[in-house]
Amino acid sequence: MKIFRKIKEYNEYFKGISKDKIVGFVPTMGALHEGHLSLVRCSKKQSNITGVSIFINPLQFGPSEDLDSYPKQEKQDLKLLENENVDFVFIPSSKEMYPEKMLTNVKVSKLQDNLCGAKRPGHFDGVTTVVIKLFNIIRPDKAFFGLKDFQQYTILKKMVNDLNFHIDIIGCEIIREKDGLAMSSRNKYLTEDDRKIASNINIALKEGMELIKETNYSVKEIIDKLKTKYFKDVRIDYFWVYDRYKLFPLQEGDIPVKDIVITGAFFIGKARLIDNMRL
Ligand code: AMP
């Protein structure tokens, strides 16, 4: 497994890749878990060469967010990737990625008006900007993203389509702990008590999906029921039902039938956790 910290070093390696090889790419911020590794396995199945980047992108963190405390475990990450037979890992420093002040950023409008986009101003501009930089550096044929970050996946798909990138964006299913909690690097922030509360997120989403499929309750009725039952003492950033493709919120009185995503963000202990289910 090759490890590149400099763009120049990667460029030399890239020159040696023959044109008929499919390069699969998995961008991450490290602190890897089975969710990340599932993306690597998806890529290994669909590509000839698989590369992973580990970069905690400062552009996508708000001023009061956890940039400084974001978990770092480079040695362990490299071991995990080596075990998966990854071909290369790109681990740039911030200076390598942003040697001078950026005057350019890429914004995908509308799709970031709701959900995390509304709650984390500037977050998705940071994501799209770094992903484009990584795409231009790595030059992959396919890139693999988790559907846990469903808004991110939707925005990146649109960006690649709008800007004619020759890259397939592939969404991979959410990997969960035994009790259903979506795996996340931020789960490390949870205490044992937090962990019990956090497992309600998946239970609530599943129940929400059943209510959507089996009853004629309105969006407001469904969300109110779930909030009362599972999230009485939880600070909710958002929790609602949205159009699955355009990501606009359904009206309170709408009865969700299809093409929807039920999703939320919840502050539990020191973590802000997101999850979703789609129909
Ligand atoms: P991150 O390191 O949090 O930026 O995540 C890197 C990639 O891993 C993103 O495409 C995430 O959506 C994906 N990912 C994170 N957690 C999971 C999970 N539990 N299941 C599937 N993909 C995930």
Side-chain angles (χ1 to χ4, degrees):
M1 184 174 82
K2 305 261 186 229
I3 297 169
F4 303 112
R5 293 181 192 274
K6 301 278 180 210
I7 297 167
K8 253 188 173 168
E9 295 163 4
Y10 178 77
N11 286 344
E12 283 309 306
Y13 170 78
F14 186 78
K15 274 186 206 157
I17 300 177
S18 86
K19 287 237 158 50
D20 60 339
K21 298 279 187 227
I22 295 170
V23 176
F25 177 45
V26 180
T28 81
M29 297 204 298
L32 303 181
H33 49 68
E34 279 294 314
H36 298 110
L37 299 183
S38 75
L39 302 183
V40 168
R41 289 170 201 147
C42 273
S43 174
K44 296 274 302 178
K45 273 197 201 134
Q46 299 187 33
S47 325
N48 304 110
I49 292 174
T50 289
V52 175
S53 65
I54 297 177
F55 179 59
I56 301 175
N57 173 37
L59 287 191
Q60 71 191 67
F61 286 78
S64 59
E65 293 183 353
D66 57 344
L67 174 61
D68 293 332
S69 56
Y70 197 83
K72 294 170 195 74
Q73 49 171 59
E74 185 181 304
K75 243 191 185 163
Q76 193 182 324
D77 287 349
L78 291 175
K79 216 170 187 180
L80 289 169
L81 295 175
E82 186 127 47
N83 287 345
E84 298 294 326
N85 289 319
V86 162
D87 296 282
F88 70 86
V89 187
F90 180 56
I91 318 184
S93 63
S94 273
K95 206 145 185 238
E96 184 69 6
M97 288 298 280
Y98 303 114
E100 45 186 80
K101 189 171 165 43
M102 291 275 289
L103 299 179
T104 308
N105 78 69
V106 180
K107 181 193 265 323
V108 178
S109 62
K110 292 259 183 224
L111 292 175
Q112 57 165 300
D113 286 352
N114 299 295
L115 299 97
C116 291
K119 299 293 179 180
R120 303 181 68 188
H123 168 70
F124 285 114
D125 297 348
V127 170
T128 45
T129 302
V130 81
V131 167
I132 288 194
K133 277 173 79 78
L134 288 167
F135 282 177
N136 282 333
I137 295 165
I138 303 297
R139 289 163 276 173
D141 300 289
K142 300 180 180 200
F144 298 81
F145 293 88
L147 294 175
K148 180 172 90 74
D149 298 277
F150 187 65
Q151 190 172 22
Q152 169 173 282
Y153 162 77
T154 306
I155 286 174
L156 293 174
K157 263 234 167 317
K158 179 70 176 145
M159 176 188 85
V160 159
N161 193 46
D162 280 355
L163 299 180
N164 299 89
F165 277 85
H166 297 280
I167 299 174
D168 286 339
I169 301 291
I170 294 156
C172 305
E173 248 329 312
I174 302 172
I175 304 299
R176 300 178 178 282
E177 302 284 357
K178 275 204 191 90
D179 64 358
L181 176 66
M183 289 193 180
S184 163
S185 305
R186 290 185 169 103
N187 290 353
K188 286 191 190 337
Y189 300 151
L190 300 174
T191 63
E192 232 171 83
D193 287 345
D194 295 337
R195 189 66 188 64
K196 281 185 203 137
I197 300 167
S199 65
N200 279 335
I201 297 173
N202 181 243
I203 296 170
L205 288 177
K206 276 210 273 208
E207 195 167 314
M209 204 46 100
E210 273 163 30
L211 291 173
I212 288 170
K213 284 184 188 159
E214 286 162 21
T215 72
N216 281 331
Y217 289 138
S218 69
V219 171
K220 183 166 182 335
E221 285 168 327
I222 293 168
I223 296 295
D224 282 351
K225 260 182 208 302
L226 299 174
K227 276 186 180 169
T228 312
K229 189 163 172 190
Y230 295 108
F231 302 122
K232 256 199 162 140
D233 300 317
V234 172
R235 183 153 73 93
I236 298 177
D237 209 13
Y238 65 86
F239 181 37
W240 200 249
V241 182
Y242 299 83
D243 178 273
R244 174 186 174 145
Y245 299 103
K246 303 220 166 94
L247 301 184
F248 61 74
L250 268 64
Q251 304 277 316
E252 288 191 351
D254 285 351
I255 298 168
V257 184
K258 61 173 178 141
D259 295 343
I260 55 93
V261 53
I262 175 167
T263 180
F266 308 85
F267 291 103
I268 295 174
K270 288 191 179 135
R272 178 182 178 279
L273 304 176
I274 59 172
D275 198 352
N276 72 79
M277 281 188 191
R278 286 142 271 126
L279 183 67

